[in-house]
Amino acid sequence: MSESRFILAGVMGWPVAHSRSPVIHKHWIAQYGLQGTYVQLPVQPERLGDAIRGLPALGFAGCNVTVPHKVEALALMDDVHPVARRMAAINTIVVREDGSLYGMNNDGAGWVQSLRDADPAWRAQAGPALVLGAGGAARAIVVALLDEGAPEVRLTNRTREKAEALAQELGPQVKVVDWKDRNQAMAGVSLLVNTTTQGMQGHPALDVVLDDLPVGALVSDLVYIPQETPLLATARQRGHRAVGGLGMLINQARPAFHAWFGVMPEVTPALRAALQATF
Ligand code: NAP
């Protein structure tokens, strides 16, 4: 008799205990009455290859991949979605029927959806965007903005070389701005995005002044712990629409759940409440 009705998925990272992904996926498993579970997979970097190659034998439908494995995991896939290839990182692995591994990256699409949830009229074409930071998350955001038709992406990072490397790779619409000029670079943008770790619990607030940010600009912060970062609070005080990182986290999970469990899950107030309860 087949054992395949019980579906197994998880999140692979190091460390992984802080991840909110189990809350999201377990909520959906219960909501849709599915047979399965979603577990934490703490994997040290030097064991990543063994762990990923072991997924089919262990009967996993797949897993999420989080810090610090997103880049290295891509090289271990048999097949990679073109968007993930451009992001040079994966956040989801799907084990296919033949046991081969397929890598996807839903971070950018999840982020775009979170902006649309906050402002259904939001369009990347509306004007230039300023992206703060040039790490792994920034890469997903810049690729998503270009794919959505942003006319210009201004990119600024404390370590300028990382922004330059990204711009070089992603094309002439990405313009590097020196970190010391980040405040003036807000002039004329329709979107400001923080992809740095600044503003996270345990980190200082992001050091920016919003005086030059146009009144109608949307402000997005990828940080979700805390949900209301100093950047978001200041932006709201100035009358901007401001979007935290929790919506991105929830929305990136939907296509992964669909790939493993066969149901495209809905984002409900009950799910948001379940997540709120963990903060
Ligand atoms: P990462 O690759 O380590 O990049 C960190 C970025 O923060 C780099 O650009 C780094 O600049 C910058 N930074 C660090 N300390 C700084 C400081 N003191 N001043 C200015 N910049 C500083 O991390 P990541 O994976 O991109 O994640 C970045 C953030 O996005 C985290 O807060 C993470 O939680 C969040 N995130 C959220 C979601 C979601 O679903 N909401 C998904 C992914 C990531 P340097 O290059 O100069 O070091």
Side-chain angles (χ1 to χ4, degrees), residues 64 81-82 91-92 141 149 160 234 251 271 277:
N64 284 125
H81 190 283
N91 80 340
T92 303
I141 298 310
R160 186 182 166 106
T234 308
N251 281 297
L271 171 60

Side-chain angles (χ1 to χ4, degrees), residues 4-255:
S4 63
R5 282 176 58 83
F6 190 89
I7 297 171
L8 192 53
V11 55
M12 195 177 285
W14 184 260
V16 85
H18 65 282
S19 172
R20 298 306 197 272
S21 291
V23 178
I24 298 173
H25 289 280
K26 283 178 165 174
H27 181 91
W28 284 331
I29 289 168
Q31 180 183 338
Y32 293 101
L34 301 170
Q35 295 296 309
T37 193
Y38 184 100
V39 297
Q40 292 181 356
L41 297 167
V43 172
Q44 294 175 26
E46 56 273 26
R47 310 295 305 273
L48 185 68
D50 289 343
I52 286 182
R53 280 187 288 269
L55 289 169
L58 290 168
F60 273 79
C63 69
N64 284 125
V65 181
T66 189
V67 176
H69 300 322
K70 288 184 174 186
V71 172
E72 286 72 18
L74 185 146
L76 297 161
M77 297 298 105
D78 296 302
D79 197 4
V80 176
H81 190 283
V83 167
R85 179 82 60 199
R86 286 176 64 221
M87 290 173 180
I90 60 168
N91 80 340
T92 303
I93 298 173
V94 178
V95 178
R96 296 191 289 206
E97 295 245 318
D98 62 359
S100 64
L101 302 172
Y102 180 57
M104 312 192 291
N105 195 323
N106 310 317
D107 279 343
W111 173 72
V112 168
Q113 187 58 48
S114 75
L115 298 192
R116 295 231 163 87
D117 287 348
D119 179 0
W122 179 80
R123 291 163 58 252
Q125 295 97 321
L130 175 63
V131 176
L132 304 164
R139 197 179 177 102
I141 298 310
V142 175
V143 168
L145 280 170
L146 294 176
D147 287 354
E148 287 287 322
E152 178 186 331
V153 179
R154 301 176 191 167
L155 184 63
T156 185
N157 192 49
R158 181 181 60 172
T159 310
R160 186 182 166 106
E161 298 74 50
K162 276 165 71 177
E164 275 169 355
L166 203 53
Q168 179 91 26
E169 208 178 311
L170 294 178
Q173 283 140 292
V174 183
K175 317 251 189 253
V176 176
V177 175
D178 212 78
W179 184 246
K180 69 173 168 24
D181 299 326
R182 60 196 180 283
N183 294 327
Q184 298 91 299
M186 291 178 202
V189 304
S190 62
L191 174 69
L192 171 69
V193 192
N194 174 43
T195 76
T196 78
T197 48
Q198 296 294 276
M200 262 175 91
Q201 198 175 65
H203 295 247
L206 182 69
D207 182 14
V208 287
V209 178
L210 303 186
D211 291 354
D212 287 340
L213 191 65
V215 181
L218 182 66
V219 176
S220 157
D221 198 335
L222 266 54
V223 171
Y224 60 89
I225 305 172
Q227 288 180 64
E228 185 73 350
T229 61
L231 170 67
L232 294 175
T234 308
R236 274 188 236 281
Q237 278 161 17
R238 292 185 87 243
H240 297 278
R241 208 182 288 254
V243 185
L246 201 58
M248 174 178 173
L249 185 76
I250 296 173
N251 281 297
Q252 64 76 31
R254 295 182 68 231

